[in-house]
Structures are given as structure tokens and as C-alpha cells.
Amino acid sequence: MKTMTKTEIQNLDSEKIMNTYARFDLVIDHGKGSRCVSVDGKEYIDLTSGIGVNCLGYADEGWVAAVAEQAGKLQHCSNLFYSQPQVEVAEALTARTGMKKVFFGNSGAEANEAAIKTARKYGTTKKGENCNKIISLVNSFHGRTMATITATGQEHYHQYFTPFLDGFLYCPANDVDALKELVSDDVCAIMMEMVQGEGGVLDLDAAFVKAAAEICSQNDILLIVDEVQTGIGRTGKFFSYEYFDVKPDIVSFAKGIGGGLPIGGTLFGEKTCDVLQPGDHGTTYGGNPVAAAAARYVLSQIDDAFLEEVCKKGEYIKEKLLASPKVKSVTGLGLMMGIEVDSDKAAGEIVKEALAKGVMALTAKTKIRLLPPLNIPYEDIDEAIDILIEAIEN
Ligand SMILES: *Cc1c(COP(=O)(O)O)cnc(C)c1O
């Protein structure tokens, strides 16, 4: 295998790969911990984790060993057969959350598809054919498949691909009255992220979440929480809904759970765990042994002490950022952060400048968004945040 140069890779990419991503000018070659190295040999501190995926950083030793061992033993067997890593991940997730059962897919969008299908089957079989409406929030993000872009409450996503699915209603976040207006006998579920990630790292009000959960339990409406970005320790709790003292009926997760391999899934509570039956739903790769072995390892690392560290590091970063006169606010929970800046420069411009100085960050709407590895060391935090502040201030 010939090693390609940065230019060769970028040229071949623009020629042969569909132009659906606005990529940064960085070709990554390898990484260790929260640092990676480009093909031209430059080192970067990564405050993005591949959009919240590499939660243990690059090439975590235990993770690599777990994946390699499973790859050498059984890489795939289809869901027509049983395998141990899959059931162990399911057991760990249900033990941790009190949820009853899990369906494994490969991504966040698929996790939400399973949630949506389950909610519709629950509503229509229990309360009649019309009980198929799902309320999601304005400014939400739930994925890129047809159902999940429809669930996504942003006009920007509702173009080109008509017809979209029927039966989605959009409620402004934190507006309890609007939510009450939208609720009817035709609603089978209310779906939300506790912190809207792509929407700009916006935390929901506790009162709104509480009210929504009450409306759900009083009306036999399912509460679906999308934990694809917020889940698996990202916010300093295992799932972010734990901050809100609610008990969802369905929880979707993905991103962080595989630590870098594609695995996602959907957790179901008492009411919903037996709704889908053989033939109703499935996927070839879901809970694949190697991806599941990766998830099993990630879950083994996320104990209470680990989560406490996530909270501490989040607070530490927040304090450092807020010491800058150009930082107006820091939203989010744990190590999921949105930075509102007081600057003539747009967030995207600041992020580009930080990248040129060796720090990778993201944007979300008008904010700079940080999703660092959950185990990022303090030395890397200090170095990266100083560089980021420099990019914000200059
Ligand atoms: C990323 C994301 C998704 C979609 O996940 P994919 O793995 O890209 O399909 C869904 N919901 C939320 C909240 C997300 O952040």
C-alpha cells in the first residue's frame, strides 16, 4: 500500500467522493489519546472526538485489545444467530438504566427509526389507526433518513426530498403551552434531545421536560429521549435524562457507545419492550460482534468515578472559557459544550483559526461546539483551551 500525500488524498476525494460534507482542510493519519497527527506530520489536540464518537480518545489500549481480540475470533454472524458480546452489552445497558430491552442498529438515525416505528405500532395497535402522530421539537436533530429528517424540527432539512412522512408535529422547545396545544388522542409519542446538539447546544428547561413527561404518563403517550449525542457519559451522567428526573419509555443512543466503531441502538421500557416482534424490524449488522465488543469495553470504563471526572473537566473548561471577556456564555452539560462568543468573527471562522493553530473544534449553529474525548487529560485541556481562546480573542 502506497502512502498518499495530503494533496493526492484531497484531489481523489473531490473527484470520487460525493460532495456532501464541507470538510476541514485536514487529512488525519493516526492518533493516540486526545491527539492526532495529520498525513503531513502536524499534531492536533482533538476537541471533537469524531463528533462525540471516540469517547476514550484515539487508540485506547484496552479498546484496541478488545476489538482486535473479537475480530480474530468472530467478526460477524448475522442476527439469525446468537453471540455473546451483543447480550453482554444489552445486559450492561439495561442494568445501568432500568430499561427492559434493547434493539441494536448501527447509527443514531437507525436508533431513532426503531423508536419511531415502535411508537407508531404501540399507538396504532393500542389506541387505533389514527394514533400515529409524533411530537418533536423545533430546532431538534434526529438523523438523515427519511423518517428522522422529518422528525428533525428544522425547515432547512425539509427540502428536496418530498414527500416527507406524515404525522410529525413540531413544538418549540421549552414551551409547555404549545406542547399542551399539540397533544391529542392522535399522538403516540413525544420525542426530544435533553440538550439540542446540532441545534446549538441548547439545554432544555427542567420544567419543560418534567411537564412533557407528565403529559406522557397521564395520556399514555410514549416519551422518547434521543441520547445519540448526549448519551454514554457525554454530559457527566450515563444518560442526560438522569439530570431531569424523568423515566423515558424509549431511549436512542449511538455515537459514543462504540468508542469509534459503528453501533447504536434503542432501549425500551416496560410499556414498549415487546411491541416489535419477529419480522417487524431488523438490520444485518446491528450488534455486530466486533462493534459490540468495542461497546462492551467502553461501558466497562464508564463508572461513577469516570462520570464525576467528566463533570469536573466540563466545569474546569467552562471556567477557563468564561474567564475570557470575549466568551458570552457556555451552554451544555458535562463535556458537551456550546460557546457563544462576542466577536465579529463567525464561529466557523474561529474554528478554522483554531485548527490552523493545532486544535480541532466544531460548530453548532452560531456557537463553537466542543465534544472532547471523555478521558482527555488536564494538560491537553489547558493547551487546547488556551489556543482556542487565542483564536476567539484575536
Ligand atoms: C448525530 C445525531 C443523530 C444521527 O446519528 P447518525 O449516527 O449520524 O445517524 C441523531 N440524533 C442526534 C441527537 C444526533 O446528535
Side-chain angles (χ1 to χ4, degrees), residues 5-245:
T5 65
K6 177 181 180 184
T7 312
E8 283 171 342
I9 293 168
Q10 288 181 325
N11 287 346
L12 197 55
D13 182 291
S14 63
E15 199 183 318
K16 299 293 182 188
I17 294 191
M18 271 249 284
N19 184 27
T20 62
Y21 302 106
R23 296 200 209 269
F24 288 106
D25 182 27
L26 165 59
V27 184
I28 302 173
D29 185 68
H30 62 275
K32 186 74 194 163
S34 36
R35 292 173 187 250
C36 68
V37 178
S38 66
V39 292
D40 41 3
K42 201 172 159 204
E43 191 179 74
Y44 294 82
I45 302 176
D46 185 355
L47 303 181
T48 75
S49 311
I51 319 189
V53 168
N54 299 331
C55 60
L56 303 178
Y58 295 102
D60 175 90
E61 239 167 75
W63 182 90
V64 171
V67 169
E69 192 193 336
Q70 187 58 45
K73 192 175 167 194
L74 174 73
Q75 83 275 31
H76 181 75
C77 64
S78 95
N79 280 312
L80 299 178
F81 303 96
Y82 298 92
S83 64
Q84 183 172 329
Q86 197 180 103
V87 291
E88 284 180 314
V89 176
E91 189 186 31
L93 285 168
T94 51
R96 182 97 211 181
T97 58
M99 301 294 281
K100 297 295 173 208
K101 288 183 182 177
V102 60
F103 175 84
F104 286 112
N106 315 285
S107 68
E110 283 173 272
N112 286 328
E113 286 278 343
I116 291 165
K117 283 177 73 174
T118 304
R120 283 186 165 181
K121 187 175 175 194
Y122 180 86
T124 54
T125 54
K126 202 166 169 202
K127 299 200 274 181
E129 194 47 45
N130 293 328
C131 185
N132 56 31
K133 310 265 182 300
I134 295 175
I135 299 174
S136 67
L137 300 188
V138 172
N139 202 41
S140 57
F141 182 81
H142 297 298
R144 298 288 198 157
T145 60
M146 285 307 301
T148 58
I149 46 171
T150 311
T152 292
Q154 301 188 49
E155 273 315 304
H156 161 72
Y157 291 94
H158 298 170
Q159 341 170 47
Y160 310 129
F161 313 119
T162 53
F164 290 91
L165 268 69
D166 272 345
F168 285 88
L169 307 168
Y170 308 100
C171 174
N174 299 327
D175 189 337
V176 178
D177 292 335
L179 185 63
K180 285 180 179 161
E181 285 282 307
L182 288 172
V183 168
S184 73
D185 291 344
D186 292 349
V187 172
C188 62
I190 301 175
M191 176 172 189
M192 60 182 74
E193 305 153 84
M194 301 285 103
V195 182
Q196 295 189 325
E198 304 301 313
V201 196
L202 301 169
D203 316 39
L204 292 191
D205 291 346
F208 176 77
V209 176
K210 259 293 198 231
E214 258 163 44
I215 289 169
C216 285
S217 69
Q218 283 162 6
N219 298 282
D220 193 15
I221 291 171
L222 301 174
L223 179 62
I224 303 173
V225 179
D226 179 343
E227 294 272 6
V228 170
Q229 190 159 154
T230 49
I232 323 297
R234 174 55 56 190
T235 65
K237 299 268 189 198
F238 187 73
F239 281 129
S240 65
Y241 70 75
E242 295 167 40
Y243 279 107
F244 296 85
D245 191 28

